[in-house]
Amino acid sequence: MDIAGINLVTLIASLMVAAVPILLAAIGELVVEKSGVLNLGVEGMMIMGAIGGFMVAVATGSPLMGFIGGAIGGAVLSLFFAVLTLGFLANQVATGLALTMFGLGLSSLMGQGYNGVKPPPTGALFGPLGDIPVIGPILLGHDWMVYFSILIVAVVWWVLRYTRTGLIIRAVGESHDAAHALGYNVARIRLLCIMFGGAMAGLGGAYVSLVRVPQWVDGITAGAGWIALAIVVFASWKPWRVLLGAYLFGGITVLQLRLQAAGSSIPVEYLSMAPYLITILVLVIMSSGRSKAALNAPAALGQNFHASR
Amino acid sequence: MSSPSLCLELTGITKRFPGVLANDNVGFSVRPGEVHALLGENGAGKSTLVKMIYGLVRPDSGQMRFNGAAYTPARPSDARTAGVAMVFQHFSLFEALNVAENVALGMENPPPLRELAARIRAVSEEYGLPLDPARMVGDLSAGERQRVEIIRCLLQDPKLLIMDEPTSVLTPQEVEILFRTLRQLSAEGTAILYISHKLDEIRSLCDGATILRRGKVVATCVPKEKTSRELAEMMVGATLNPPERRPGEKGEVVLGVTDLSVASPIPFGTSLKEVTFTVARGEVLGIAGVAGNGQDELLLALSGELRVAPDKLRIKGHAAGDLGPNERRRTGLVAAPEDRYGHAAAPDMTLVENAFLTGAIRKGLTRHGFIDWAGAKAYAEQVIRDYDVRTPGSYVAARALSGGNLQKFLIGRELDQSPEIIVINQPTWGVDAAAAAAIRQAILNRAAEGAGVVVISQDLDELLEISDSFAVLNAGRLTKPRPVEGLTIDQIGLMMGGAHGMEVAHHGH
């Protein structure tokens, strides 16, 4: 199963791993945006998760504790965003951008002593089962975070679509005034969604520093948060499309690396820009043309809510 | 113990907001099965009062009793649990959700959606309000949306139903269906608290009325025993004069629209289809129709926010379809859209800034590309004076004015620019009787001075009062304008065609 010197099985197996950080960050942001909040600080929350998770994992020697630490790191940073936008009604776009800058700077400061340190390894969940040909590497050979990220997509889809909690989140994102008039606490619902988004972004960041790289360098997330934001929009706020978008991006990232390694004649610059370009192109095509998809944006997205009398 | 024969009893309710005493020692009571009207001008404190009954606002002092027991709802869910339901003035609906989901959001313990859909069907049949639970609310007409709200209330077996301006967006036929439902509910023992500016409706529907003025109860009466004029005068505390018509000569045509078809830029909007009409100097053309039939789109196309082919729209004989709003203002056309907060006005900007925004061109409020602040301020103050806008000054943000006062300012801002063509959508929506009369009079005065006027409104009485000719916008199509003289309400109802599929559902007896 080799095409142009690239093994298809290992390609699929590694794209699933490459997609995890973006997938987690995007699914978190999807919930945030569904509740009507536009948090552009995904990149900042991811990198706080990356350093937070790295520090905890190194200190405790447990990757699990590291991931929990990463989630908490992202959630704590998102709390700043929540206080500013929900409490003080600050502009969401500006606050989100500031959050990214703040996260990048703070993580760099916190990571001072960690350059060159090795984090504890995160092993495959099913151990030797991963050695079964073809299905082994693709379905059974991954660490638990890969399965967890897919599970989270399923759970978010199910909650948004079938539960009352999901209905309330969608309602708040659709019209905060109407939701308030019916007696729902708009600020509290949005606060919880923002923190969920922060935790997911943090988890994604921790996966970068603990599994993908795995070590600490400044700016380790390298723009993954921005791609996650774009994926949410072009996926028309639909969880399974977010999965598709993340895998597409992950796939092309892996593919272009392999092509570079295989000594492809295409210049490296084009290959490195390909994941960004192709992901956005495909998702734009998917979300265009059908008015329904364009209308799927939460109507109150980006608007602050204040309960006037 | 208070008498258990009362459903709701309020005594000494006082609520103060910063700078305003919204309710001052208000007391009244409603019996089970009574339809009780709450009357008052804008800002008289009606909305605050019902919000307190529904648990959205807490009173500073005073007592409420509900079915004989003390009643202090801290949030709407408490009110709903106690048996109070409310239909809001601005619909509390979610356009991108379907009917069943919208209903579920307003209930305390909704059953699973499939079961809920069955119950929605059952209740909607029982009360003659047919409704499909699977439809998207964004696709529904105003009348159907209101049914969603009412059915949401009915599913909870309310003992008290609060209705805040329920008929402002309905056709006459829809109002009749609503009243039949309300009478049926009242016969079953449900008390109804009814807020409306339409005094004729109150006289035909309500058993009792409490009249509020500046937060105080000034009178209680039986509306059937009063004339609409008497009721309005009790609300305002002054004598009212109906608008005066000076029969002016119709001049030459100033605005001509031919075969105007344009796709709607608004999500869930209605495209205009072959709209044709003309307006002459001194003529008021009234355009009726249920909201969502192309009114917003027509205003956009006339104001220039939506551009069309040049010869589809002619101003004073010149092709003007491709001109933008500012160029059209220069030729003498002014437009006032319906949505006060965000379309007609920039809510967070001051009245001076808002006056400048549309007055800049015709009032010459710029000098060498710079804003003439002194001129803008003088213009804003002129409008405030001419139209009796109640505001602490011209420096306050538009948002801070009550709806009626802001509307007076916004209409005045357009009318004071000596326009030759005036386009207004919903001139008196949510405005009290006195202010509405003032706005209508101002429109008529401009027409008498030779302006051609297009008024788009959902208030038929208003259109019949001020229009010379009358047309109906229905699903984006405009009927041929007809002279108002000799038109009956029934003919208009048929023209409106909003009656399609509006028959009361028949159920077996």
Side-chain angles (χ1 to χ4, degrees):
Chain A
M1 289 258 267
D2 281 16
I3 298 166
I6 293 163
N7 185 301
L8 210 57
V9 172
T10 47
L11 179 73
I12 294 173
S14 50
L15 84 80
M16 291 174 73
V17 175
V20 168
I22 304 161
L23 180 57
L24 285 169
I27 202 73
E29 179 68 9
L30 181 136
V31 172
V32 178
E33 293 191 13
K34 271 286 180 192
S35 78
V37 177
L38 180 64
N39 184 354
L40 294 182
V42 181
E43 178 79 4
M45 299 186 299
M46 277 186 90
I47 202 151
M48 281 307 290
I51 185 61
F54 196 82
M55 287 166 70
V56 174
V58 168
T60 61
S62 152
L64 176 65
M65 292 308 290
F67 283 117
I68 294 172
I72 292 173
V76 166
L77 194 65
S78 74
L79 210 53
F80 281 94
F81 179 84
V83 168
L84 288 170
T85 57
L86 302 178
F88 297 107
L89 304 180
N91 180 292
Q92 293 181 6
V93 171
T95 311
L97 292 174
L99 201 67
T100 290
M101 312 259 208
F102 178 61
L104 288 172
L106 186 63
S107 65
S108 174
L109 178 70
M110 288 166 69
Q112 283 296 323
Y114 287 91
N115 287 328
V117 178
K118 276 266 159 214
T122 308
L125 187 59
F126 299 113
L129 285 179
D131 297 333
I132 301 169
V134 187
I135 59 160
I138 295 178
L139 294 179
L140 303 168
H142 299 295
D143 58 82
W144 65 274
M145 280 294 286
V146 174
Y147 306 107
F148 178 75
S149 64
I150 299 169
L151 181 72
I152 279 284
V153 173
V155 168
V156 165
W157 170 76
W158 181 77
V159 166
L160 284 177
R161 187 168 174 143
Y162 292 109
T163 69
R164 182 159 173 84
T165 311
L167 181 59
I168 292 170
I169 291 174
R170 285 188 286 145
V172 167
E174 195 54 42
S175 166
H176 43 221
D177 292 317
H180 174 74
L182 291 176
Y184 294 104
N185 189 332
V186 174
R188 187 166 66 203
I189 292 159
R190 287 188 170 166
L191 171 71
L192 294 174
C193 288
I194 289 171
M195 289 185 66
F196 174 78
M200 286 301 116
L203 215 48
Y207 193 80
V208 177
S209 64
L210 293 178
V211 180
R212 279 288 288 157
V213 175
Q215 56 175 327
W216 172 253
V217 286
D218 280 1
I220 192 174
T221 46
W226 299 111
I227 280 292
L229 273 167
I231 283 176
V232 174
V233 175
F234 293 120
S236 310
W237 293 268
K238 292 192 170 86
W240 291 115
R241 283 203 197 178
V242 164
L243 180 83
L244 184 76
Y247 275 14
L248 190 69
F249 181 82
I252 300 164
T253 308
V254 173
L255 181 67
Q256 63 97 2
L257 285 174
R258 305 268 152 126
L259 282 174
Q260 286 187 33
S264 160
S265 58
I266 308 169
V268 175
E269 290 78 7
Y270 290 108
L271 287 175
S272 343
M273 75 169 87
Y276 302 88
L277 225 53
I278 294 175
T279 306
I280 287 176
L281 212 67
V282 168
L283 290 168
V284 165
I285 292 166
M286 275 175 60
S287 60
S288 69
R290 271 168 298 172
S291 54
K292 195 79 196 159
L295 286 175
N296 203 33
L301 183 60
Q303 294 168 17
N304 280 338
F305 172 71
H306 178 62
S308 60
R309 61 177 193 254
Chain B
M1 278 298 290
S2 76
S3 145
S5 65
L6 289 179
C7 174
L8 177 75
E9 189 184 10
L10 269 63
T11 37
I13 295 286
T14 299
K15 177 72 194 177
R16 184 183 291 279
F17 290 115
V20 206
L21 190 57
N23 288 128
D24 183 5
N25 201 17
V26 171
F28 69 91
S29 60
V30 187
R31 284 174 282 109
E34 179 186 354
V35 185
H36 192 92
L38 212 47
L39 287 173
E41 288 187 273
N42 295 114
K46 301 172 308 246
S47 292
T48 308
L49 198 56
V50 294
K51 279 182 184 170
M52 286 192 279
I53 299 170
Y54 194 58
L56 279 164
V57 173
R58 247 172 282 186
D60 295 337
S61 63
Q63 273 103 47
M64 292 192 269
R65 302 184 74 79
F66 190 71
N67 282 334
Y71 172 67
T72 51
R75 61 183 73 86
S77 58
D78 294 351
R80 289 196 288 258
T81 313
V84 178
M86 179 157 166
V87 173
F88 291 87
Q89 177 180 10
H90 305 283
F91 296 141
S92 60
L93 294 178
F94 305 92
E95 293 202 339
L97 304 182
N98 70 28
V99 170
E101 288 173 328
N102 267 283
V103 170
L105 279 166
M107 294 178 72
E108 279 322 296
N109 293 301
L113 279 179
R114 196 168 306 160
E115 201 179 305
L116 184 63
R119 282 184 57 195
I120 291 172
R121 277 212 183 82
V123 171
S124 67
E125 291 294 308
E126 187 186 339
Y127 286 93
L129 305 164
L131 201 58
D132 177 359
R135 278 184 73 191
M136 215 63 131
V137 166
D139 297 331
L140 301 182
S141 73
E144 289 172 311
R145 286 179 192 211
Q146 190 179 49
R147 284 183 205 172
V148 179
E149 294 241 11
I150 294 173
I151 283 170
R152 176 153 77 188
C153 294
L154 295 184
L155 279 174
Q156 309 182 67
D157 278 325
K159 296 179 191 68
L160 173 70
L161 180 63
I162 304 170
M163 305 205 78
D164 194 353
E165 300 240 18
T167 60
S168 51
V169 292
L170 302 186
T171 61
Q173 280 84 354
E174 286 174 322
V175 169
E176 222 162 88
I177 294 171
L178 172 68
F179 280 15
R180 221 172 299 168
T181 308
L182 293 183
R183 289 199 182 101
Q184 189 180 344
L185 278 170
S186 131
E188 289 167 7
T190 310
I192 296 168
L193 192 57
Y194 192 88
I195 298 179
S196 176
H197 286 306
K198 298 194 176 167
L199 301 171
D200 292 330
E201 289 180 357
I202 283 174
R203 288 180 53 240
S204 80
L205 184 73
C206 299
D207 309 310
T210 299
I211 296 164
L212 291 173
R213 197 190 307 149
R214 300 214 176 95
K216 288 196 178 102
V217 175
V218 290
T220 51
C221 67
V222 177
K224 291 186 176 89
E225 296 166 357
K226 303 279 178 190
T227 65
S228 295
R229 170 74 75 87
E230 283 169 334
L231 288 174
E233 288 176 357
M234 282 202 272
M235 279 161 55
V236 181
T239 324
L240 279 180
N241 298 313
E244 254 176 76
R245 299 231 53 177
R246 270 168 281 170
E249 285 294 299
K250 265 213 222 173
E252 81 272 22
V253 168
V254 281
L255 176 68
V257 172
T258 326
D259 248 351
L260 176 72
S261 299
V262 59
S264 173
I266 306 166
F268 301 112
T270 307
S271 302
L272 296 178
K273 297 167 197 90
E274 296 154 18
V275 170
T276 301
F277 66 87
T278 61
V279 181
R281 285 192 189 278
E283 178 186 0
V284 179
L285 169 65
I287 296 183
V290 180
N293 272 294
Q295 284 90 342
D296 294 335
E297 290 79 2
L298 182 60
L299 182 113
L300 294 179
L302 294 180
S303 73
E305 287 172 74
L306 200 61
R307 293 180 205 205
V308 295
D311 57 336
K312 296 285 177 193
L313 187 143
R314 305 181 85 82
I315 294 175
K316 295 187 272 180
H318 301 291
D322 58 339
L323 299 185
N326 283 339
E327 287 133 330
R328 290 194 197 182
R329 278 185 188 281
R330 218 165 263 131
T331 65
L333 181 148
V334 299
E338 168 191 3
D339 178 17
R340 291 192 276 265
Y341 303 99
H343 194 181
D348 290 321
M349 297 181 101
T350 67
L351 295 181
V352 174
E353 287 165 326
N354 273 294
F356 172 83
L357 283 172
T358 77
I361 292 169
R362 294 191 67 76
K363 302 301 285 185
L365 299 178
T366 54
R367 257 190 321 227
H368 314 300
F370 290 93
I371 299 172
D372 173 8
W373 283 116
K377 184 158 183 285
Y379 180 50
E381 278 164 4
Q382 178 198 333
V383 172
I384 290 170
R385 226 175 16 252
D386 289 357
Y387 291 85
D388 184 30
V389 180
R390 288 174 209 166
T391 162
S394 58
Y395 55 85
V396 300
R399 187 190 291 288
L401 266 62
S402 76
N405 269 314
L406 182 57
Q407 185 71 1
K408 284 197 273 186
F409 180 81
L410 295 173
I411 299 285
R413 174 183 73 174
E414 304 305 330
L415 297 185
D416 263 9
Q417 296 178 22
S418 44
E420 294 177 77
I421 305 163
I422 302 164
V423 182
I424 301 183
N425 192 6
Q426 296 275 59
T428 60
W429 186 64
V431 171
D432 64 67
I439 288 173
R440 289 174 196 150
Q441 185 64 58
I443 294 172
L444 289 176
N445 290 348
R446 282 291 167 275
E449 288 164 24
V453 183
V454 180
V455 174
I456 306 169
S457 175
Q458 282 153 46
D459 184 341
L460 281 178
D461 296 332
E462 165 171 280
L463 290 177
L464 296 179
E465 194 173 293
I466 63 174
S467 310
D468 300 298
S469 39
F470 179 90
V472 173
L473 200 55
N474 192 359
R477 287 176 198 281
L478 190 73
T479 62
K480 200 167 159 4
R482 295 165 67 168
V484 164
E485 275 185 11
L487 272 185
T488 66
I489 283 276
D490 280 342
Q491 284 173 329
I492 293 167
L494 289 177
M495 277 169 91
M496 290 179 77
H500 292 317
M502 289 296 306
E503 296 82 15
V504 173
H506 297 287
H507 46 94
H509 287 281

